[in-house]
Amino acid sequence: MPHSTRAALRAAVPTRLALAAALALSSLCGAASAQTELVIATVNNGHMIEMQKLSKNFEQSNPDIKLKWVTLEEGVLRQRVTTDIATKGGQFDVMTIGMYEAPIWGKKGWLQELKTDAAYDVDDLLPAVRNGLSIDGKLFAAPFYGESSMLMYRKDLADKAGVQVPERPTWPQIKDLAAKMHDPKNGVYGICLRGKPGWGDNMAFLTTLVNTFGGQWFDMQWKPQLESKPWKDAITFYVDLLKNYGPPGSAANSFNEILALTNSGKCGMWVDATIAASFVADPKQSKVADQMAFAQAPTMNTPKGANWLWSWNLAIPAGSKKVDAAQKFITWSTSKDYIQLVAKTNGWANVPTGTRKSTYASPEFQKAARFAAAEKTAIDSANPTDSTLPKSPYVGVQFAAIPEFQAIGIAVGQQMSAALAGKTTVDAALKASQVAADREMKKAGYYK
């Protein structure tokens, strides 16, 4: 073989090797680029953090999908996802949104309709929650966990007062029992209720109180109703109740503050989110866990809207380029199988509740959660499309699912908190609230 040919062959070997290496590398890159990265925006609460830990199971079953988590405080999350979806920013492939946003954004065409298969069993979703996340029968978000509100009370104090609390008490009955339980000298207050201003703080509770007194936020012409008789009666009742039988400084209390008071044995009764039941009934967290009992939220003139309804949900923005992968992840994380996975990993007492009939039908869950029956009754009785005695134009129990509600709810919440703190009268607070709500609704073009 001539020297030149041998030299050419020797030169060709590295070239062939380089070519083979390049081809191998490009096929690897192809495989890597075939892996879809899903960016998931979520809230930093216990159930969601658990989902992140367990999501390695999803990635193992779906090696072509990689999950990237953006975990934020509730207020920051709401701001970021609202900005992103309104500007079609495309930062997130899956968003954690509340029951407030789901119908508004679904109506605006900002969310993908969710398509579920037979295994997912959409009919297993609790009807109240499913309805709150649907528009014209189309599901725009899948519930990860849901809650209503209910009465949590100390049975030892009710027994001592000689009172048998009915399954669905009335507000006058609650007032009488609060008077009997109230013992501030011994550090026990008859009743604890939210007073801290915010549309999701004091106004979540107060809207349910107004509903059951027969009131509403807006009439069918979208006119605010804050100076109506039901509002005056409900807020007057609330201010008197807490002034006489509540803890000092109630105007600064919301969920976390009252949870701490209840767990330390300082609250005779508390009406709040059903999710609190698992904390107050846990002996590791509550010194009165074995004394806690549960009933439905109290009613006044109507049972309509007495129990609120909320859920944290997963949704896909309309402009997403990764719909199939996002749909796959949402189906996994809100399925019956996911609930079984949490039960197997952390026990039935820690599964996400408030979403599926099958969870409440589970004997293991019923055994682990003695509040389960009361919680399910509360959720089932809430109807976001029929939550007020007079007909209302909005969807929502403790909020009105319109974009303007946040600003109105915050403004009214500040006035109610001021009335509770004695800085203004109930009448003056409601008048200022009416003016603020009227201004927002006119500005938004609901009427002239």
Side-chain angles (χ1 to χ4, degrees), residues 2 23 36 39 44 46 99 116 160 188 200 225 282 413:
L23 282 167
T36 304
V39 182
N44 67 341
M99 195 175 264
T116 57
K160 192 177 159 191
V188 175
Q225 297 297 299
D282 178 1

Side-chain angles (χ1 to χ4, degrees), residues 44-119:
N44 67 341
N45 67 31
H47 281 313
M48 300 305 189
I49 288 162
E50 197 48 46
M51 172 172 59
Q52 290 174 48
K53 288 183 196 161
L54 293 173
S55 64
K56 62 179 185 295
N57 294 274
F58 174 80
E59 287 179 315
Q60 281 160 9
S61 308
N62 298 275
D64 56 330
I65 301 173
K66 185 176 180 354
L67 306 178
K68 185 181 173 191
W69 295 88
V70 179
T71 310
L72 304 161
E73 294 265 329
E74 183 176 334
V76 181
L77 170 83
R78 193 165 267 131
Q79 210 175 1
R80 288 273 301 273
V81 299
T82 303
T83 304
D84 188 62
I85 204 155
T87 59
K88 297 187 170 64
Q91 278 183 45
F92 308 116
D93 304 304
V94 175
M95 293 174 161
T96 304
I97 64 172
M99 195 175 264
Y100 167 72
E101 291 90 356
I104 300 175
W105 294 359
K107 214 173 205 164
K108 282 179 182 279
W110 289 359
L111 300 174
Q112 288 278 357
E113 183 193 344
L114 296 182
K115 305 284 187 194
T116 57
D117 58 14

Side-chain angles (χ1 to χ4, degrees), residues 238-256:
Y238 160 79
V239 169
D240 289 348
L241 185 65
L242 282 181
K243 209 158 58 179
N244 292 320
Y245 312 117
S250 281
N253 290 345
S254 194
F255 180 87
N256 289 329

Side-chain angles (χ1 to χ4, degrees), residues 132-202:
L133 303 175
S134 301
I135 301 278
D136 301 327
K138 293 175 180 174
L139 192 66
F140 284 98
F144 184 70
Y145 80 84
E147 64 178 38
S148 184
S149 53
M150 65 180 175
L151 172 69
M152 295 161 275
Y153 67 96
R154 280 185 55 183
K155 191 164 183 316
D156 58 329
L157 298 181
D159 289 348
K160 192 177 159 191
V163 174
Q164 181 82 37
V165 178
E167 191 192 336
R168 173 71 97 167
T170 64
W171 274 110
Q173 285 173 326
I174 292 300
K175 186 180 178 179
D176 290 347
L177 182 52
K180 288 172 180 161
M181 287 180 169
H182 194 57
D183 186 7
K185 283 198 186 101
N186 290 306
V188 175
Y189 306 101
I191 190 161
C192 298
L193 299 168
R194 297 182 183 199
K196 193 182 199 171
W199 74 268
D201 287 291
N202 63 343

Side-chain angles (χ1 to χ4, degrees), residues 170-434:
T170 64
W171 274 110
Q173 285 173 326
I174 292 300
K175 186 180 178 179
D176 290 347
L177 182 52
K180 288 172 180 161
M181 287 180 169
H182 194 57
D183 186 7
K185 283 198 186 101
N186 290 306
V188 175
Y189 306 101
I191 190 161
C192 298
L193 299 168
R194 297 182 183 199
K196 193 182 199 171
W199 74 268
D201 287 291
N202 63 343
M203 293 321 298
F205 167 72
L206 284 174
T207 302
T208 63
L209 187 69
V210 168
N211 290 342
T212 195
F213 268 74
Q216 63 188 150
W217 274 98
F218 308 100
D219 68 11
M220 289 305 288
Q221 281 68 52
W222 289 105
K223 293 272 167 67
Q225 297 297 299
L226 291 142
E227 288 186 284
S228 63
K229 187 176 185 300
W231 271 88
K232 285 185 182 180
D233 290 349
I235 304 306
T236 302
F237 178 86
Y238 160 79
V239 169
D240 289 348
L241 185 65
L242 282 181
K243 209 158 58 179
N244 292 320
Y245 312 117
S250 281
N253 290 345
S254 194
F255 180 87
N256 289 329
E257 292 81 6
I258 302 173
L259 177 61
L261 284 168
T262 304
N263 281 348
S264 61
K266 291 190 162 91
C267 297
M269 290 180 283
W270 180 24
V271 180
D272 213 300
T274 53
I275 203 81
S278 57
F279 307 131
V280 300
D282 178 1
K284 291 194 199 84
Q285 299 182 53
S286 167
K287 61 189 256 194
V288 289
D290 58 337
Q291 301 298 344
M292 295 306 295
F294 310 96
Q296 294 309 297
T299 60
M300 190 69 188
N301 299 327
T302 174
K304 281 189 179 189
N307 300 73
W308 77 52
L309 188 66
W310 183 255
S311 58
W312 279 115
N313 320 282
L314 299 175
I316 307 169
S320 172
K321 306 279 188 289
K322 302 168 187 173
V323 176
D324 289 348
Q327 178 80 58
K328 210 178 255 191
F329 174 75
I330 289 175
T331 300
W332 172 81
S333 56
T334 62
S335 67
K336 293 178 191 176
D337 288 346
Y338 177 81
I339 289 167
Q340 292 285 343
L341 176 66
V342 178
K344 199 172 83 179
T345 312
N346 303 318
W348 274 100
N350 298 297
V351 301
T353 58
T355 59
R356 287 185 170 271
K357 299 172 196 171
S358 53
T359 303
Y360 293 93
S362 157
E364 298 98 327
F365 176 65
Q366 288 170 19
K367 194 177 163 194
R370 57 191 171 85
F371 53 84
E375 179 181 61
K376 184 172 186 291
T377 301
I379 292 170
D380 285 347
S381 72
N383 184 350
T385 57
D386 184 22
S387 62
T388 57
L389 194 55
K391 202 164 161 45
S392 294
Y394 52 88
V395 172
V397 182
Q398 76 281 20
F399 56 81
I402 56 170
E404 297 72 26
F405 181 75
Q406 285 195 43
I408 293 170
I410 290 165
V412 176
Q414 284 163 344
Q415 291 295 331
M416 299 304 105
S417 197
L420 181 58
K423 293 176 184 168
T424 184
T425 64
V426 169
D427 281 358
L430 289 170
K431 188 174 186 180
S433 297
Q434 178 72 18

